[in-house]
Amino acid sequence: GTPDPQADKPIVRKGAMLTIRSLVFSVHLYAIVLLAIICGMMGVPQTTAKIAIFNSDSGVTPPEKLRPTPRIWLYTSVAVDYNGAALLPHFINHYLDLGVERQHFLVVVNHNPEKNPERKDVDSPGPLWDATSILDSWGIKYRVWLGQYSSEKLLKIRYEMLNNASWDDWIIHADSDEFHDYGVTNVKKYFAQADKEGVNEIKGVYVDRVSETGKLQRLSVSPHLFKQFPLKCQVIKEVTGSRDTKAMAYKGYWRSDRGNHQVLRPARAKSWMAGSPRPGATSNRGVVDAENLYPLTPYSRNPKAYLYLCQPHDYDERGLLAVDLPPGVTCYTGKEKNIPQDLIVRKSKTATVNHFKWHSGLVESVKDRLAFYKGTDTNEGQDGKPRYDWFKDSEKLLAAVVEQGGVDIKSLNCKA
């Protein structure tokens, strides 16, 4: 028959129930103490969970009891207005095949409804609907960001979302057009080995993938992207002169810079993330009226866990430290004999980033970002000056690739 919901309730008086509970608690406590004594005599560790090692004299508060097996997160941003939805099936399959679990995807979806309004009279209402439908079909959660794309706005969103990761977890950081190659079929063993080696950052070098002719062709769901874009080039480095390195993956206690080119050094983190010193002023990361992002990061929550190594350009012409350090920490040059050995310092290994940027969606993307970064869309509040200095990279891409209709595969010596 139907179970009686009252069947599991003890039929005893309150006083008797308290006595029984006290007795059970005493027995459990006795068993725990006895087990601890036995483990100590046998040399058996009392917990299998890995605990962060901190200098007890440094005043560091361990952020948490670390997991026996760190989780692997994947952070990405999707610009749906520029063929982002066409990339998604390829992207999702790639990282699921590498062993990332879908509940650990951290996805932010950007859509500008003013420039790309959704349509109600067709089967596909628009790019936002296309992208979110794909994510929904895979059961992947996401955050929708409506408005003009800005790398500064995205930086804050990224730092907020990455706080889902714990201190010792791994974070794979890949834009939706970046397909990582770690040289393995599954990243779980790869990151486990990295942990054993003390590695906490995976650096990558771009391999720009372009079509057989170099033309900015439209993305397709099939065949596989590697067949649609079979040639390997170095477009970013040769055309814009920009860095072609990326922070592919890093531990949960790190954060990377705006372009995700490198993990931020603890000695520079607070200054770089700081807001503008006063209204109308430019911050250390080149943004007017910038918000202070430092409190969003693990650097601020546990500043004494890191080793602060200062480089020559961290000092001014008088030899004084020009970076803002958290209270109570020391910046070392690396030459000292008393450098602490139990603090976190960067240790990296390298892998490869296949970069699928060179498709037809690049045309409107570059034009849109150039107009916004340069301020030619509107000069309100900008006094005719560019919003962000990095408009120059978009300008170079526009002239060398977009206006030429594609990548010059001969001059760039692209190879299959």
Side-chain angles (χ1 to χ4, degrees):
T2 304
D4 182 0
Q6 301 296 320
D8 293 331
K9 293 185 178 180
I11 308 176
V12 294
R13 293 189 299 274
K14 184 176 182 181
M17 188 62 191
L18 290 174
T19 302
I20 292 172
R21 287 178 177 171
S22 299
L23 179 61
V24 171
F25 176 79
S26 299
V27 171
H28 284 180
L29 182 60
Y30 177 81
I32 292 171
V33 173
L34 181 61
L35 179 61
I37 294 173
I38 293 173
C39 289
M41 294 174 64
M42 296 176 64
V44 178
Q46 297 177 26
T47 177
T48 57
K50 180 182 175 184
I51 305 297
I53 300 174
F54 294 94
N55 184 344
S56 60
D57 298 326
S58 67
V60 174
T61 302
E64 61 178 295
K65 184 176 180 180
L66 304 185
R67 297 172 178 273
T69 304
R71 296 169 296 181
I72 300 171
W73 296 85
L74 169 66
Y75 167 81
T76 190
S77 59
V78 183
V80 302
D81 296 328
Y82 312 110
N83 285 4
L87 273 170
L88 265 180
H90 298 283
F91 181 88
I92 294 171
N93 274 318
H94 180 78
Y95 286 99
L96 288 177
D97 287 345
L98 279 178
V100 181
E101 299 176 9
R102 68 191 66 203
Q103 68 268 28
H104 293 149
F105 276 56
L106 298 171
V107 182
V108 55
V109 176
N110 174 242
H111 168 60
N112 190 341
E114 291 185 6
K115 295 182 179 179
N116 299 280
E118 298 288 290
R119 303 180 300 275
K120 299 181 180 180
D121 56 343
V122 293
D123 292 335
S124 175
L128 179 61
W129 186 92
D130 292 341
T132 55
S133 295
I134 292 169
L135 292 165
D136 288 336
S137 70
W138 257 286
I140 294 174
K141 295 181 179 179
Y142 51 88
R143 173 174 171 176
V144 174
W145 161 31
L146 298 178
Q148 171 65 48
Y149 175 89
S150 163
S151 58
E152 176 68 10
K153 174 64 175 177
L154 182 59
L155 186 65
K156 180 181 179 181
I157 293 174
R158 182 212 305 174
Y159 287 166
E160 291 172 343
M161 294 181 70
L162 291 186
N163 285 327
N164 284 279
S166 297
W167 185 262
D168 204 37
D169 288 345
W170 277 97
I171 299 168
I172 294 175
H173 189 142
D175 290 346
S176 60
D177 59 8
E178 296 174 353
F179 288 51
H180 291 182
D181 181 0
Y182 295 95
V184 297
T185 57
N186 191 293
V187 293
K188 292 181 180 179
K189 291 184 179 179
Y190 179 89
F191 288 125
Q193 181 60 33
D195 283 328
K196 290 180 182 179
E197 297 170 3
V199 170
N200 50 32
E201 175 194 13
I202 312 299
K203 294 181 178 180
V205 177
Y206 266 152
V207 175
D208 290 301
R209 307 293 300 227
V210 304
S211 67
E212 198 167 13
T213 63
K215 181 182 178 181
L216 301 177
Q217 67 187 31
R218 188 168 181 80
L219 289 164
S220 176
V221 174
S222 64
H224 198 282
L225 281 183
F226 287 89
K227 291 185 178 180
Q228 295 183 51
F229 302 90
L231 299 186
K232 302 175 184 178
C233 310
Q234 285 192 310
V235 184
I236 288 291
K237 183 177 181 180
E238 298 298 329
V239 171
T240 69
S242 301
R243 289 177 291 177
D244 61 348
T245 56
K246 300 289 280 190
M248 293 173 63
Y250 42 84
K251 298 293 281 185
Y253 45 74
W254 292 130
R255 293 295 181 265
S256 60
D257 61 7
R258 180 192 316 282
N260 190 41
H261 294 293
Q262 61 186 351
V263 160
L264 286 166
R265 291 187 298 119
R268 295 288 295 181
K270 188 177 181 183
S271 292
W272 190 84
M273 295 177 181
S276 297
R278 58 189 178 278
T282 303
S283 71
N284 289 325
R285 59 178 184 274
V287 177
V288 176
D289 291 330
E291 187 175 348
N292 182 12
L293 303 181
Y294 183 68
L296 297 176
T297 70
Y299 298 95
S300 70
R301 294 191 291 273
N302 216 351
K304 293 184 179 180
Y306 302 90
L307 179 63
Y308 292 79
L309 292 171
C310 284
Q311 298 178 359
H313 58 265
D314 293 327
Y315 297 87
D316 62 21
E317 61 279 0
R318 299 168 296 173
L320 301 177
L321 198 61
V323 292
D324 185 16
L325 298 178
V329 304
T330 300
C331 215
Y332 299 89
T333 64
K335 299 179 181 179
E336 296 85 356
K337 296 181 179 180
N338 62 334
I339 298 177
Q341 300 300 307
D342 56 352
L343 299 179
I344 295 172
V345 64
R346 291 187 301 174
K347 183 178 180 181
S348 63
K349 59 195 301 184
T350 59
T352 301
V353 180
N354 289 292
H355 191 209
F356 293 91
K357 184 185 186 75
W358 316 104
H359 55 82
S360 60
L362 178 71
V363 176
E364 292 306 318
S365 173
V366 169
K367 291 180 179 178
D368 181 41
R369 293 184 186 184
L370 176 59
F372 179 71
Y373 290 158
K374 198 170 183 180
T376 54
D377 59 338
T378 171
N379 287 319
E380 184 178 353
Q382 298 297 318
D383 297 326
K385 299 177 182 179
R387 282 191 178 90
Y388 305 119
D389 189 57
W390 47 91
F391 77 87
K392 297 172 184 176
D393 285 346
S394 296
E395 216 167 39
K396 292 176 183 177
L397 282 180
L398 180 69
V401 178
V402 173
E403 292 180 348
Q404 304 305 317
V407 174
D408 186 343
I409 59 176
K410 290 185 178 180
S411 66
L412 293 177
N413 194 27
C414 300
K415 297 179 180 180

